Amino acid sequence: MAAGNNAPQIPVLYEDNHIIAVVKLPGIPSQEDETGDPDMLTLIKQDLKIRHNKPGNVFLGLIHRLDRPVGGAMLFAKTSKAASRLSEAVRSRTFGKTYVCVVHGKPAKQQDRLRHYIRKDAKRNQVTVFKEPAAEAKEAILEYKVCAQTGGYSLIAVKLHTGRSHQIRAQMAYIGCPLVADRKYGAPVTASVTDIALWSTSVEAPHPVTKELQCFRSVPYGSPAWSWWTSDQLEEASSMYL
């Protein structure tokens, strides 16, 4: 879909009267920010208005966010009732999210469950990771599995159990494996890679009306970091936790 002649093409994974699942392209903000650049929420609203010939304002609920440099599957609500029910799924942790990332080096364990505590500094838009509970820090839990390795890099599948800001980026950096191109969390410069090597491979939630569990998937593409792996390796990593 597109929201105009000059708008980015945003692939639609699924759409009905209540929800729309799309692929967010790296570099597009999830919602409007201080840059004023086109954002996912605005682009999809504009597209829905045009495609469905809707008068007035179009409702679209932002259920979860992806950092600007990150691409992959995102789910939005088309009604306030759907937004409320999906937001409750996020709070009750029945809203599942999986990712793949490319990191420098290799974690000490082939697979593990990481539990840390994360404190966000909003002014710096950066988080600090603690091993033990700390003031104003929130618990952050994820699982990971190393799926492949090449040239000093590892392809890793991740399942989030909490949705903290910069969680995957910060936790992987904390264990000594920063994401490729993630300079904010200590990654060295990698030639030709500008977008952080992190991709939302699936979002899963009960449908807000039918209650049927639905899963929307996206296999990473675009960044040179993904070209280091075969299509089979990317598909395997993307479906690891499904």
Side-chain angles (χ1 to χ4, degrees):
M1 73 165 189
N5 292 334
N6 299 317
Q9 294 289 329
I10 300 174
V12 176
L13 299 172
Y14 175 85
E15 182 181 0
D16 62 23
N17 290 333
H18 312 283
I19 59 176
I20 181 168
V22 301
V23 177
K24 176 189 172 301
L25 304 180
I28 303 178
S30 292
Q31 61 187 130
E32 186 176 4
D33 63 15
E34 66 279 358
T35 67
D37 293 338
D39 64 279
M40 292 296 292
L41 202 60
T42 301
L43 289 171
I44 298 172
K45 279 184 178 181
Q46 291 173 347
D47 174 75
L48 292 174
K49 184 178 180 68
I50 294 168
R51 281 196 296 118
H52 299 300
N53 194 26
K54 288 181 173 288
N57 293 327
V58 174
F59 178 88
L60 191 69
L62 182 69
I63 307 304
H64 63 118
R65 296 170 178 79
L66 294 177
D67 293 344
R68 181 168 183 156
V70 178
M74 283 191 78
L75 181 61
F76 294 83
K78 292 173 64 177
T79 69
S80 57
K81 180 181 289 186
S84 176
R85 290 177 178 175
L86 288 172
S87 295
E88 177 55 34
V90 172
R91 286 190 291 271
S92 64
R93 298 188 183 179
T94 57
F95 189 100
K97 293 181 284 186
T98 68
Y99 294 77
V100 294
C101 60
V102 182
V103 304
H104 289 269
K106 181 187 177 184
K109 296 181 179 179
Q110 185 73 12
Q111 60 186 83
D112 200 6
R113 180 182 176 97
L114 303 181
R115 175 184 274 107
H116 296 113
Y117 298 86
I118 285 179
R119 178 194 296 152
K120 183 174 182 178
D121 183 335
K123 290 183 179 178
R124 296 168 58 221
N125 190 30
Q126 193 166 355
V127 304
T128 303
V129 178
F130 301 91
K131 187 175 182 179
E132 303 295 339
E136 299 181 8
K138 297 180 178 179
E139 185 179 49
I141 303 171
L142 63 76
E143 294 177 57
Y144 76 80
K145 184 171 183 178
V146 179
C147 298
Q149 292 178 270
T150 186
Y153 302 103
S154 297
L155 177 67
I156 294 181
V158 177
K159 180 177 178 63
L160 279 184
H161 292 279
T162 56
R164 308 307 180 197
S165 181
H166 296 185
Q167 180 176 339
I168 297 171
R169 299 165 60 183
Q171 286 190 275
M172 296 309 297
Y174 187 81
I175 64 170
C177 297
L179 274 60
V180 168
D182 195 358
R183 301 294 301 282
K184 179 168 285 194
Y185 291 100
V189 174
T190 302
S192 79
V193 182
T194 55
D195 293 320
I196 295 170
L198 177 62
W199 193 271
S200 168
T201 48
S202 75
V203 288
E204 183 179 76
H207 188 278
V209 175
T210 68
K211 309 303 182 186
E212 178 184 356
L213 188 64
Q214 293 186 297
C215 182
F216 308 106
R217 298 187 58 216
S218 176
V219 177
Y221 63 92
S223 170
W226 307 121
S227 68
W228 302 342
W229 319 95
T230 67
S231 57
D232 287 346
Q233 287 173 322
L234 290 174
E235 175 64 34
E236 180 185 8
S238 298
S239 57
M240 180 63 62
Y241 287 107
L242 298 181

